[in-house]
Amino acid sequence: VFLQNPFEHDLGRLIQMQAYDYIYAPNQRTKSPRSHSCLKQGTHPGIANTGFYYLSRNSKTIKSITNYTLWNCSKPDNKLDDQKLFWSELRRQIEQQEESWHHCNASNGYDAPPNEIMENENATGVAAVGGQEQTWLCCLDPYVYQIGQKTKYERNTEDLITFHANWVKGIPKKIDLLKSIPAGWNPDEWEQDAR
């Protein structure tokens, strides 16, 4: 659910930098802004929320991971969801070619393009680093791009940008959680707007 326009906030700014191949929302909540390890240390969390993300169409690496995910999702014997498959392949590729993967952090790449890109305009795509594609990741701050790990929302939501009730199973439970967000989803307004 978009509680504010994400393109007028972090997501829009990060996309406009044209530095990132994959911008994602972590699958954890935080109690304060910019406190998640993906922004503090600039490391990927191992698995993230694939329900809300941005993929660059220019990255051969991200296209390869996406194709791998779709191919494996379509296998009749597959027991894993797209999120686990995507992040499993992403982690595998990072481990194979660690030097060609980069992640933003709160002090480098979140508010302005990463220093490495500012110093080398060819840092995205096929770079001068041995002709190997450089892949850039950035996470959205989970304090304002939140997921639904609880059955009731418990904090002020003035700064909340998006909310994804991904941990809650079943439509009635998702609706109850969304109703608990102050200034969040009002099903009466939604039904009226839909008419």
Side-chain angles (χ1 to χ4, degrees):
V1 173
F2 290 1
L3 300 170
Q4 296 184 51
N5 182 346
F7 298 103
E8 293 176 356
H9 296 278
D10 304 358
L11 178 64
R13 183 181 65 252
L14 292 167
I15 290 171
Q16 286 178 341
M17 286 180 201
Q18 296 183 14
Y20 296 106
D21 300 299
Y22 182 47
I23 302 168
Y24 63 92
N27 220 16
Q28 301 88 21
R29 291 172 65 172
T30 58
K31 294 183 179 185
S32 58
R34 299 186 182 199
S35 62
H36 192 278
S37 63
C38 68
L39 287 173
K40 286 170 72 175
Q41 287 98 29
T43 57
H44 69 82
I47 190 166
N49 175 4
T50 58
F52 185 71
Y53 57 90
Y54 163 83
L55 297 174
S56 168
R57 67 176 179 243
N58 299 324
S59 170
K60 291 177 185 171
T61 303
I62 295 298
K63 283 179 186 174
S64 165
I65 294 169
T66 303
N67 287 336
Y68 168 89
T69 303
L70 294 171
W71 180 72
N72 279 290
C73 280
S74 68
K75 287 182 173 179
D77 60 337
N78 175 50
K79 304 280 188 237
L80 298 175
D81 64 30
D82 64 321
Q83 184 166 309
K84 289 180 182 155
L85 287 167
F86 183 94
W87 276 84
S88 169
E89 180 62 9
L90 185 136
R91 283 192 313 272
R92 188 186 72 73
Q93 290 203 23
I94 288 173
E95 288 166 10
Q96 282 185 342
Q97 299 177 337
E98 199 169 325
E99 70 284 350
S100 65
W101 288 84
H102 311 277
H103 199 291
C104 74
N105 64 55
S107 62
N108 182 19
Y110 202 70
D111 294 308
N115 297 334
E116 298 86 345
I117 289 179
M118 296 301 286
E119 293 162 9
N120 175 9
E121 289 181 24
N122 296 321
T124 57
V126 179
V129 186
Q132 190 172 25
E133 182 177 66
Q134 304 296 293
T135 306
W136 291 81
L137 311 176
C138 196
C139 63
L140 295 165
D141 185 355
Y143 185 72
V144 292
Y145 292 87
Q146 285 224 345
I147 57 163
Q149 283 178 303
K150 299 188 177 193
T151 55
K152 188 169 186 212
Y153 200 76
E154 300 166 346
R155 84 165 172 86
N156 185 346
T157 59
E158 290 175 4
D159 51 1
L160 198 61
I161 298 168
T162 65
F163 186 82
H164 183 197
N166 61 328
W167 287 82
V168 179
K169 294 187 180 187
I171 293 172
K173 288 182 181 177
K174 286 183 186 278
I175 289 171
D176 288 344
L177 177 60
L178 293 169
K179 283 181 182 176
S180 76
I181 301 172
W185 187 53
N186 180 337
D188 296 331
E189 284 180 21
W190 185 79
E191 286 173 13
Q192 214 169 19
D193 289 345
R195 290 185 198 143

